[in-house]
Amino acid sequence: MNKLVQPLYLDNQENKTWKFILNELKPKGKIFSPFNIISFPVIVTGLIIMYIRFTQGIGSVTNLSQDIPWGLWIGFDVVTGVAFAGGAYVLVFMVNILNLKQYKPILRVTVLNGFLAYLFYSGALLLDLGRPLKIVNVIIGNNFGVSSVLFLVGWHFLLYMLALLLEFSPAIAEWLNAKKLRKVLSGLTMGAVIFGITLSVLHQSGIGALYLMAKDKIHPLWYSEYLPLLFVVSSIFAGISLVIMEGSISQRVFAHQLDKDSHKTHDNILVGLAKICAAGMFAYLALLVIVFVHGKDWQYLSSPMGSWYLLEVIGFVLIPMGLFYYSYRRRKVGLIKMASIITLLGIMLNRMNISIICFKWDAAERYVPSWQEFVVTLTIIFIEIWVFRWIVRRMPVLRKSPEWVRGDH
Amino acid sequence: MSLSRRTFFKAMGATAVALSVGKELKAGPEPEGEATEFNGMLYDMAMCRGCHGCEYDCAYAHELPEPDIPKEPPFRKTDETRNTVVNKYETSKGKVFVKTQCMHCNQPACDAACLTQAMHKTEEGPVIWREDKCMGCRYCMISCPFDIPKFEYKSTNPRIIKCDMCFTLQQQGEIPACAYNCPSGALMFGKRRELIAEARKRINDNPEKYVDHIYGEHEAGGTSWLYLSPVPFEELGFNTHIQTSSYPGLTKGFISSIAPVDILLPALLLGVYEATKTRTQTEEEE
């Protein structure tokens, strides 16, 4: 008899878990919220476009051409999106390596954001591949193109996704009430942290390195051999700016999940982050000046492209840098949020300049993304937000971990 | 949150191995193309009469749609339906015809860019595209300094279309279709080294007929396709500002820095982590 008791007990436990998960799958918030009403039709349209893309070819829904082989799906979803997701490695570095505990409240939500961002951007990448099934060639190792920057980016991307998932996994274990699992998973965190940061530094710079061979195609004001370095430095403040903006939205939307004093803590966090942004942007600006002087690009400044370049550097780097500096000295949280929005626009501008706008800037035919490309991009962002919201409402991401965890530390 | 030394080294070793396998650029062909016996093609624009015959032969050899070339053809580019085009230029010395196709670089950017080795520089010289490997990322198109690879955007299983110097014919001991049928003798197939010598000879014998330059001898680190011209190459739409070192060399610095970063950065991070650990944390761990 005794022998039978054990499995039965396990079965029960398992049943409970399944019931719990099934129950959790049901929607929790209002169904007809303004966000849902806007995003749902976009997602449906986007899915239809994706279907057409797979049945009639990439050319049927995009404006890509023989001259412009990478458009919005790479330029925005991947190149810009990865910079925006940089907050995860910066924050993980600050909290887990530098031991800056005051940033811990926003760590989990940032890691979750980073993970989802990577998951969905690689999804976007699959849409853009002409022969997506052949991606196994890169993974299973029969055809390693090891001298390819893209190969390295791809692998660092993939491994980093795993690292992020590991870093976030204790939250999943807490949600499932799996105490032992949580212990195992949090034991792995430090390894994931160290390699996650390393992988990030390399793939953030790798995205810049992708364009190194396009030397004659990118306008000389944007092309330099320092592209990898510029990309990794700018990913620091791009990522943090997204953390600032996303955090401010989450504070409102998920207000009921947070305790009273978290609002004040959050303001302190924002001021600290603003300081890091200002410093990062200063370093970036210094690098830009060195690259500019080094490249002897003076003659281009008087051309229209030169004005466009100055707009990017002054309007979207220098000015937000000043705003960040001013607002952290004066503790103006509203201004910090504004500076972060300008910074995000600036990063978007920079990445789009390199990948699309100043790519073959002198070509007769210009690439303008089709409406389908925009809708699919929006679809990916909306689905990501849906998944994010689903997780935040269930797992201890913004709210505190359950009682049993705290003693465990 | 703890990490024993042993797990750390284990993980570090595994990652380092996983990430640094063969990071160096393939040694590949020598930078001086003359040292390796690549096949090549010498195209003498002073001899080409613009019959477009090579375009038909190429389409036939590669099972591409038969070209429909009007009597006075407008300026055309290669695309997903044609590997090669011949265009007419009005120059200081009258009409000159220019054939465009893959240059078959000695160290091709597309080969270095390809993450599945679908783009491949063969030992014989031609740069070929292998259908079973390609995942359609189009990074070769971004990287190619001559904008040669073309992509079938309208297809659900798209191919990359570009000249392969009739690699299959070459393997059967034959010469590329365009050169085989060229009535004016403007196209000459052979070993790249010998072709360069031949081109030099033509320039020396007829200095007033040719400009003293072989396009492709040094461009992009040297190409298998070599051009002789009666007029300066600028007049014929050639990219004369192209660098003379190879394009894969541009990413070499980045690629060779990956392995050191993969190994040194984790060690550094662990050091900083140990240094900033607070007393309470250390006590907890003990």
Side-chain angles (χ1 to χ4, degrees), chain A residues 77-250:
Chain A
D77 299 15
V78 180
V79 178
T80 312
V82 166
F84 283 177
Y89 84 93
V90 179
L91 224 67
V92 162
F93 175 70
M94 284 158 56
V95 175
N96 288 335
I97 301 287
L98 295 183
N99 207 8
L100 302 171
K101 288 225 171 66
Q102 65 268 37
Y103 297 103
K104 206 164 178 182
I106 57 164
L107 180 64
R108 257 192 193 169
V109 68
T110 309
V111 169
L112 173 66
N113 249 317
F115 173 68
L116 290 180
Y118 277 95
L119 195 66
F120 282 89
Y121 302 152
S122 36
L125 200 66
L126 284 179
L127 282 182
D128 202 68
L129 291 182
R131 310 153 72 91
L133 294 179
K134 290 281 197 263
I135 201 168
V136 292
N137 282 347
V138 185
I139 297 162
I140 60 175
N142 53 343
N143 294 298
F144 275 4
V146 284
S147 58
S148 166
V149 177
L150 192 57
F151 176 80
L152 300 161
V153 170
W155 263 98
H156 282 77
F157 224 85
L158 193 75
L159 293 175
Y160 184 51
M161 263 162 68
L162 288 177
L164 279 175
L165 183 61
L166 264 183
E167 282 166 30
F168 183 71
S169 61
I172 303 175
E174 282 165 26
W175 169 61
L176 294 172
N177 247 333
K179 295 180 190 175
K180 271 193 181 160
L181 186 67
R182 188 192 177 278
K183 214 164 181 185
V184 175
L185 290 174
S186 45
L188 296 172
T189 304
M190 203 56 211
V193 161
I194 286 181
F195 291 110
I197 296 167
T198 310
L199 294 164
S200 285
V201 169
L202 282 168
H203 78 243
Q204 292 283 2
S205 53
I207 298 225
L210 281 181
Y211 289 95
L212 284 177
M213 280 199 284
K215 189 184 174 191
D216 311 310
K217 302 182 191 176
I218 297 170
H219 192 280
L221 281 171
W222 281 269
Y223 180 90
S224 86
E225 62 231 71
Y226 295 104
L227 271 181
L229 196 60
L230 291 171
F231 267 55
V232 77
V233 173
S234 54
S235 76
I236 295 173
F237 55 82
I240 292 187
S241 293
L242 192 84
V243 170
I244 293 172
M245 205 186 76
E246 175 276 323
S248 314
I249 298 170
S250 287

Side-chain angles (χ1 to χ4, degrees), chain A residues 280-383:
Chain A
M281 292 174 98
F282 181 75
Y284 178 68
L285 210 58
L287 262 175
L288 280 182
V289 171
I290 292 171
V291 167
F292 177 77
V293 174
H294 185 77
K296 302 192 182 73
D297 292 332
W298 297 100
Q299 75 271 24
Y300 298 112
L301 276 191
S302 51
S303 69
M305 289 314 262
S307 322
W308 186 240
Y309 176 77
L310 287 177
L311 175 76
E312 181 195 313
V313 174
I314 294 171
F316 291 93
V317 184
L318 186 68
I319 289 177
M321 183 188 86
L323 271 181
F324 272 128
Y325 180 77
Y326 176 81
S327 52
Y328 97 76
R329 295 290 297 239
R330 299 283 163 93
R331 288 190 63 90
K332 299 219 185 285
V333 175
L335 264 185
I336 293 179
K337 290 175 189 172
M338 203 170 101
S340 72
I341 291 171
I342 301 176
T343 308
L344 288 174
L345 288 175
I347 289 294
M348 214 189 292
L349 190 63
N350 173 258
R351 299 302 198 260
M352 302 287 257
N353 272 339
I354 289 168
S355 62
I356 298 172
I357 300 171
C358 305
F359 189 87
K360 299 218 180 139
W361 76 100
D362 49 358
E365 274 176 56
R366 301 293 317 171
Y367 160 81
V368 179
S370 67
W371 66 267
Q372 292 100 321
E373 286 174 75
F374 282 111
V375 170
V376 168
T377 299
L378 268 180
T379 302
I380 289 166
I381 296 171
F382 282 151
I383 297 180

